[in-house]
Amino acid sequence: MELHIEGVTVELGGSLICRDVSFEVPSGSLVGLVGPNGSGKTTLLRTVYRLLRPRLGRVVAGGDDVWSLSPRDSARRTAVVVQEPAHDFDFTVSAVVGMGRTPHKRGFERDSANDRMLVADAIARVGMTALAERPFGTLSGGEKQRTLIARSVAQQAQVLVLDEPTNHLDLRYQLETLQLITSLGVTSIMAIHDVNLASQFCDEVVLMRQGAIHSAGPTGAVLSAEAIQDLFEVDVEVATTASGHNTFWLGTRVAEAANSP
């Protein structure tokens, strides 16, 4: 399922947070939103999963404006994984993953055999079967992220929205989380700060600054040392790995542009 962001402008509290943002997320690809804090990444994602209605423009998933869909139909198309929750669910892993079946039910309809099978399969897919009956609040950060991704798998959505999915995770869980996301084969869009992870895992990137697009396109072409220095105002060096991905080293001093009047 393709995702199209078409001229999205978002205003909050009288301030423009996103300005005329347009790009496409090809079916089955992973597109990363990269930019400094306050560049509008999270706000833009919230328009994709209908938490914020844009003042102008629209978000089109599978050929339909997301705001033309009912909340249930929208949830059947788009799943969301936000940063690690500030609170702990008082539910087991199985129960949290089972919440992904809610858009496919009516009222207080009980779980069917098919629901239970899909939940078990989703848990197995993220490697959490041994922890299926563990309380969510007792899990590590990486285990929580895998549980929330399993919930999106059980939801059977074709578009996955992720807001900093590797935030607060150690290196191992960062890699495992992104490997898991790319293995799902669904259309995915995520905000991410780590430019090296973006270089390794994203098919395309959208660089954002002050609510607008700085540049966008295939990761290898767009995510350059010059672009990173321009966005973040730090010195950057780059090398290309044997696998063809760029690796970036941030300098020990802030670039000259940051100190300019």
Side-chain angles (χ1 to χ4, degrees), residues 91-161:
F91 298 108
T92 65
V93 168
S94 291
V96 172
V97 176
M99 294 174 186
R101 300 302 303 154
T102 302
H104 302 275
K105 299 180 182 180
R106 295 188 178 277
F108 294 97
E109 183 181 350
R110 293 186 177 183
D111 288 344
S112 66
N114 185 58
D115 290 326
R116 291 189 291 272
M117 179 191 71
L118 289 171
V119 168
D121 286 348
I123 292 172
R125 188 165 184 180
V126 303
M128 292 287 288
T129 300
L131 302 178
E133 299 310 314
R134 279 271 300 272
F136 182 83
T138 67
L139 303 177
S140 69
E143 291 164 346
K144 288 179 179 178
Q145 286 295 68
R146 279 192 280 165
T147 299
L148 296 178
I149 293 171
R151 182 180 64 184
S152 74
V153 173
Q155 193 172 329
Q156 295 184 299
Q158 295 174 277
V159 175
L160 180 59
V161 180

Side-chain angles (χ1 to χ4, degrees), residues 125-126 146 149 175-184:
R125 188 165 184 180
V126 303
R146 279 192 280 165
I149 293 171
L175 292 173
E176 286 185 353
T177 297
L178 291 177
Q179 288 167 350
L180 174 58
I181 292 166
T182 55
S183 75
L184 298 178

Side-chain angles (χ1 to χ4, degrees), residues 225-246:
E226 293 77 15
I228 294 171
Q229 178 166 311
D230 192 31
L231 276 181
F232 295 99
E233 299 182 340
V234 293
D235 283 340
V236 180
E237 294 183 9
V238 61
T240 302
T241 66
S243 61
H245 300 115
N246 288 337

Side-chain angles (χ1 to χ4, degrees), residues 32-35 41 164-166 178 190-195 197-198 202:
L33 302 181
V34 178
K41 302 185 300 296
E164 296 289 348
T166 58
L178 291 177
M190 71 173 176
I192 185 167
H193 272 110
D194 191 311
V195 293
L197 290 176
C202 293

